[in-house]
Amino acid sequence: MPLQPIETHLPRLGQEPDLIANQAQSARANFDPSGRLSAFNERLSQLWSLSPDWLLKAPSWEEVFSHLVRRGYWDEELLRQIVKALDVTEIQNVSFCIQQNNGSCYEVYVGVTADGGRQFDLWDITGYQRPQVSGNPEVRRLKFLLGLMERLQPASDLREIGQFALSYLVEAMGAAFGDVKVIGGTGSDRTAGMLINHISGQFIATHGELAVAEMQAVLKQGIPYGQGLLWEVVETGKPLFVEDYNNHPKAVAGFRHPGIGQLGIFPIPSADGRIIGVLTLECRTQMKLQEAPQQDMLMAACRMLGVAIERAQAEERLRQINEDLERASQLKSEFLASMSHELRTPLNSILGFSDLLSRQIGGSLSDRQLGYVQIIEKSGHHLLQLINDILDLSKIEAGKVELELAPVSIQNLCTECLKMIQPRADKKHLALSFELDYRLQQVVLDERRVCQMLINLLSNAVKFTPEGGSIKLSGRMAYGSQLLKEYRPDRSLINPHTPYLCLEVKDSGIGIPKDKWHLLFRSFQQIDASLTRSHEGTGLGLALTKRLAELHGGTVSLESEENQGSCFRIWLPMTEMQKPPAIATQWSGDAGKALLTDNRLSAHKRVLVVEDQPYNQQLLTEVLELEGYGVELVCDGRAMLERIGSPQSLPNLILMDIQLPGVDGFELIRQIKAHPLWRKIPAIAVTAMAMAGDRDRCLRAGADAYVSKPLNIEQLLTAIRSFSVTRG
């Protein structure tokens, strides 16, 4: 009998394969993932005299089962057995027998539905004693199907499923041989490829291995569309029975054999009715495959087999998709690492020479020229910030960002952020204000990442607030109950009792229409994406802020009204104080000083620069010579390797690029640290490799310090000075 849906939004339950539950003696109850009754058939209502109107109210399984205990059908022990079955089905499907207090006996199958709920099927076996079960056709059918189900449950791949099913069916039907074929391709390009075949030893002994080899060769090759009888079964969806296959005009040549008797070909349907395979059995007993009991059992078995095959195919597709995603993620990471280097290398020259020109060390510049230089430098830093945002987002998505948690003063953090944004606010005559909850002293968080989030929000506020407006930064302690009322881009579960650090940026700017809110916090998404938009940016700031908040276990929210302003909030759960991990420094200066303990430098200091890019060579030479260092250039990896092998005069310090033609910087540093004369010379890795883990790779190779490109000249000079390299 058909299932009766309770809610119209559950049509998929009616699409589940109806294997054996819609028979008169089969009662079914489906419970959704929350444990409420989602579908049932009339037999269920009759079985326990349950009112259909009550069942249509979607009671929970606890309510249904408790009702059966109260009415005396079940006792507490039986109820515990059923509840245990619910727990077990989280791992695997189960089947067992129960006897009710009224003497009725049922075979029970408990499985998992497509949406993660539970399905109960009960078959009435009252009156059949265990020794007599095989004598009753209906109970024999049920036992046959249950046995097949038990074989299919543990199978995880197509071949394993076919092996389990075929060995069971061949044995149960007394067949001499059988096979399962899976349909592949579309239209006239379809092929029936063998999944598994089974040929009895008796058949081989009687008809010889040569005949068997011919049959297996045909199966292995696959049967193209239109050849053989199986395609008639695929097209009609009905089984086909042949008494004399050897003489049938459509018989496949390799199977024309006098030893083949009655042949049955059965369709294997998918859940939506498509024929995705065929089961072929050759029967060597007096039991006719086309007789009603056998045919009914085999058709039901094929429906079960179709479900198992679809499940395995879906798992295989999912596995392939996961592999493709992992590969795509790896390729993306490799691409970003490569692009990081390619973009940072010219930026290094742009920012470095802009810095030198703005210092006017090589000569005075006019005010107009100085303005040009400042524009170049500002544009370069803007481009660098965009590159950093893209790399940060990709690192987070790849799971390569680890937070450096430590107790942080919220007042100091907010004050520093306001100082950084103050010059930009002053240019637009914006009033900045700050308000802090007195209860907030120190909170455990990643100071750099939280600062990054606040700067993103404050920058947006400055960008979208007209001249003369106001921006307010606030910090307070709040609870999850307050967050539940907020508009959030995610829908994560919130504990109303969790305390949060709430950082709020409120502006009097242009605001955001409510119908555009859903576009916020998406990568590369701008509210105004037209060619005429007046605000620059990539749309990464809010997306990055959201991801960083989620890394802390928090979230973001917003309020906004068009032409009235916006209010963005960062919510970070306030956890117990943790012992902060060791925070890595930008370069290992102490280690460098230790290396130089027995290597005090002479009066004239020479720096060996290993760099292949001409502009970077010129920049480093200018910077070092202006500081009074002597400079020696090596332009590629092989030349440096030769220099190590035949030492003449040794430098006092090495600046080593990593991506070099011939031999890379990692190998050169290892060679330097393995050489008895070179090993005491400090080597600083100066590289555009700035992805997660690149600094550690440089230090593991033996570098004494790491500085990333584009170069911050003061940072580079500080690193050099940390190794006691003074002017000559």
Side-chain angles (χ1 to χ4, degrees):
M1 296 181 184
L3 292 178
Q4 300 179 26
I6 287 179
E7 297 176 335
T8 56
H9 70 273
L10 293 170
R12 61 183 180 277
L13 294 174
Q15 298 170 4
E16 292 176 3
D18 185 11
L19 303 180
I20 51 181
N22 282 341
Q23 304 299 320
Q25 79 286 356
S26 172
R28 170 173 290 185
N30 283 9
F31 295 94
D32 65 21
S34 68
R36 307 199 71 83
L37 186 66
S38 58
F40 64 94
N41 63 3
E42 186 178 347
R43 178 60 180 154
L44 181 78
S45 174
Q46 297 170 348
L47 187 63
W48 294 308
S49 300
L50 299 172
S51 167
D53 291 337
W54 182 70
L55 293 174
L56 286 169
K57 293 179 180 178
S60 66
W61 64 264
E62 294 100 331
E63 292 172 324
V64 175
F65 296 163
S66 297
H67 184 74
L68 299 180
V69 173
R70 287 196 302 272
R71 300 193 60 176
Y73 288 103
W74 294 359
D75 56 24
E76 294 292 343
E77 179 59 34
L78 182 53
L79 177 60
R80 281 193 290 271
Q81 183 182 359
I82 298 293
V83 172
K84 183 178 180 182
L86 280 171
D87 294 334
V88 173
T89 51
E90 293 183 0
I91 303 172
Q92 61 182 9
N93 299 339
V94 296
S95 61
F96 53 90
C97 293
I98 65 171
Q99 182 172 0
Q100 298 189 147
N101 293 340
N102 61 2
S104 299
C105 296
Y106 296 94
E107 191 87 36
V108 183
Y109 167 75
V110 187
V112 181
T113 61
D115 63 353
R118 298 291 184 273
Q119 174 181 306
F120 279 79
D121 288 306
L122 299 96
W123 298 277
D124 190 347
I125 58 173
T126 306
Y128 300 110
Q129 301 298 323
R130 286 294 178 188
Q132 299 172 346
V133 164
S134 60
N136 182 281
E138 185 55 41
V139 177
R140 179 177 176 272
R141 173 182 174 279
L142 294 177
K143 298 302 293 183
F144 167 80
L145 294 175
L146 286 171
L148 177 60
M149 186 181 297
E150 289 174 357
R151 284 178 173 249
L152 291 179
Q153 283 173 8
S156 58
D157 61 58
L158 282 176
R159 186 171 179 81
E160 189 178 5
I161 287 170
Q163 181 66 52
F164 283 170
L166 190 60
S167 62
Y168 183 78
L169 294 172
V170 166
E171 179 183 353
M173 293 291 113
F177 71 80
D179 66 65
V180 176
K181 305 181 188 73
V182 176
I183 307 301
T186 58
S188 59
D189 293 329
R190 284 176 291 175
T191 302
M194 181 189 69
L195 178 61
I196 195 72
N197 76 301
H198 179 85
I199 301 176
S200 70
Q202 182 181 358
F203 187 88
I204 296 173
T206 304
H207 302 287
E209 293 186 359
L210 181 60
V212 174
E214 291 177 0
M215 295 165 60
Q216 289 182 326
V218 173
L219 290 172
K220 186 175 182 180
Q221 183 179 0
I223 301 176
Y225 178 76
Q227 294 185 19
L229 295 166
L230 70 91
W231 294 106
E232 182 179 338
V233 175
V234 173
E235 297 297 339
T236 64
K238 298 179 179 179
L240 184 65
F241 304 95
V242 180
E243 292 291 342
D244 186 9
Y245 186 81
N246 181 43
N247 295 312
H248 198 285
K250 291 186 178 180
V252 177
F255 277 83
R256 291 184 183 275
H257 195 280
I260 297 180
Q262 180 190 176
L263 198 69
I265 308 173
F266 300 87
I268 299 175
S270 66
D272 61 5
R274 291 179 301 107
I275 306 304
I276 59 174
V278 291
L279 165 69
T280 303
L281 288 177
E282 193 278 341
C283 190
R284 308 301 293 170
T285 69
Q286 294 181 353
M287 180 172 57
K288 298 292 186 179
L289 293 175
Q290 67 265 41
E291 291 179 357
Q294 285 73 247
Q295 185 180 158
D296 184 39
M297 283 193 291
L298 288 170
M299 290 297 290
C302 284
R303 290 196 294 271
M304 296 174 66
L305 187 55
V307 173
I309 289 174
E310 267 201 309
R311 182 190 69 206
Q313 288 175 332
E315 290 177 355
E316 174 60 25
R317 286 194 296 271
L318 183 60
R319 185 193 62 79
Q320 187 61 51
I321 289 170
N322 285 336
E323 287 184 359
D324 292 344
L325 288 174
E326 289 178 5
R327 176 60 180 160
S329 177
Q330 180 182 353
L331 290 174
K332 183 181 76 171
S333 296
E334 292 173 359
F335 169 78
L336 287 171
S338 173
M339 289 306 299
S340 171
H341 178 268
E342 295 301 322
L343 292 170
R344 285 170 181 271
T345 296
L347 267 179
N348 182 59
S349 301
I350 293 170
L351 294 176
F353 283 114
S354 298
D355 187 24
L356 287 179
L357 287 171
S358 64
R359 293 168 184 247
Q360 304 187 64
I361 299 174
S364 298
L365 299 177
S366 67
D367 290 343
R368 176 175 292 183
Q369 290 171 330
L370 192 58
Y372 294 158
V373 170
Q374 290 171 348
I375 292 172
I376 293 171
E377 186 174 15
K378 179 182 177 182
S379 299
H381 280 295
H382 178 66
L383 182 56
L384 178 60
Q385 183 59 50
L386 297 180
I387 294 170
N388 288 338
D389 283 348
I390 293 172
L391 293 177
D392 277 345
L393 195 60
S394 67
K395 291 176 194 175
I396 293 172
E397 290 178 344
K400 295 182 178 179
V401 171
E402 292 185 4
L403 298 179
E404 296 179 352
L405 300 176
V408 175
S409 167
I410 301 302
Q411 180 171 351
N412 291 344
L413 183 148
C414 292
T415 302
E416 289 302 315
C417 291
L418 288 172
K419 285 180 180 178
M420 283 187 272
I421 211 71
Q422 184 76 55
R424 295 171 58 187
D426 289 345
K427 289 181 180 179
K428 296 181 70 174
H429 308 289
L430 301 177
L432 289 182
S433 60
F434 174 44
E435 183 178 307
L436 183 65
D437 189 330
Y438 72 92
R439 294 173 294 176
L440 289 175
Q441 298 297 322
Q442 286 191 328
V443 178
V444 176
L445 44 78
D446 186 322
E447 183 173 10
R448 183 171 71 89
R449 295 301 186 181
V450 175
C451 181
Q452 188 175 1
M453 288 188 276
L454 283 179
I455 291 297
N456 283 340
L457 295 185
L458 288 168
S459 297
N460 278 350
V462 170
K463 184 191 302 184
F464 296 108
T465 301
E467 287 199 18
S470 62
I471 297 172
K472 181 179 180 180
L473 172 61
S474 303
R476 59 188 171 88
M477 190 171 75
Y479 288 89
S481 56
Q482 296 166 269
L483 175 55
L484 286 171
K485 303 172 185 176
E486 299 278 318
Y487 173 84
R488 293 178 289 133
D490 61 30
R491 292 293 181 268
S492 56
L493 295 176
I494 299 295
N495 184 335
H497 305 294
T498 299
Y500 285 87
L501 164 64
C502 179
L503 297 172
E504 176 183 289
V505 175
K506 187 173 184 179
D507 64 62
S508 61
I510 61 176
I512 305 162
K514 195 163 187 177
D515 61 346
K516 302 287 188 180
W517 287 8
H518 68 284
L519 299 175
L520 295 168
F521 303 101
R522 293 183 182 179
S523 302
F524 305 103
Q525 181 71 62
Q526 291 277 4
I527 296 298
D528 178 11
S530 66
L531 296 177
T532 59
R533 64 188 175 94
S534 57
H535 302 286
E536 64 180 13
T538 61
L540 285 176
L542 290 178
L544 188 56
T545 298
K546 174 178 176 289
R547 300 294 179 85
L548 290 173
E550 290 169 347
L551 274 180
H552 281 82
T555 185
V556 291
S557 69
L558 79 141
E559 292 179 21
S560 186
E561 186 175 347
E562 194 170 5
N563 300 319
Q564 298 297 318
S566 302
C567 181
F568 288 84
R569 298 183 180 96
I570 301 168
W571 300 78
L572 306 178
M574 298 177 66
T575 57
E576 295 180 2
M577 287 296 180
Q578 306 172 30
K579 181 179 179 181
I583 300 176
T585 56
Q586 186 67 17
W587 53 81
S588 41
D590 292 339
K593 293 175 184 177
L595 289 170
L596 295 173
T597 301
D598 299 321
N599 187 37
R600 293 299 173 187
L601 305 176
S602 58
H604 186 65
K605 309 303 182 288
R606 290 186 306 108
V607 178
L608 178 62
V609 176
V610 186
E611 169 65 62
D612 64 315
Q613 294 293 329
Y615 291 137
N616 288 340
Q617 292 173 357
Q618 184 178 353
L619 173 63
L620 288 169
T621 300
E622 289 279 350
V623 170
L624 292 169
E625 287 182 347
L626 286 171
E627 289 292 310
Y629 305 129
V631 179
E632 180 183 354
L633 290 173
V634 175
C635 300
D636 62 68
R638 287 195 178 90
M640 182 59 194
L641 198 60
E642 293 175 2
R643 180 88 159 75
I644 296 171
S646 56
Q648 303 163 1
S649 58
L650 298 177
N652 302 111
L653 181 71
I654 302 169
L655 299 183
M656 177 70 70
D657 189 18
I658 297 299
Q659 291 181 303
L660 294 164
V663 181
D664 65 53
F666 291 126
E667 180 58 29
L668 292 174
I669 292 174
R670 283 191 284 268
Q671 293 285 341
I672 287 170
K673 296 306 177 181
H675 196 282
L677 296 177
W678 286 82
R679 67 195 313 169
K680 292 185 179 180
I681 300 172
I684 300 176
V686 182
T687 176
M689 293 175 59
M691 296 292 284
D694 286 337
R695 177 184 180 278
D696 291 337
R697 288 179 63 195
C698 292
L699 297 181
R700 282 197 302 271
D704 300 290
Y706 165 89
V707 177
S708 66
K709 298 175 182 175
L711 291 176
N712 180 312
I713 293 177
E714 287 301 326
Q715 184 186 78
L716 175 65
L717 293 175
T718 301
I720 293 172
R721 291 165 186 153
S722 72
F723 291 96
S724 302
V725 179
T726 56
R727 298 182 186 182

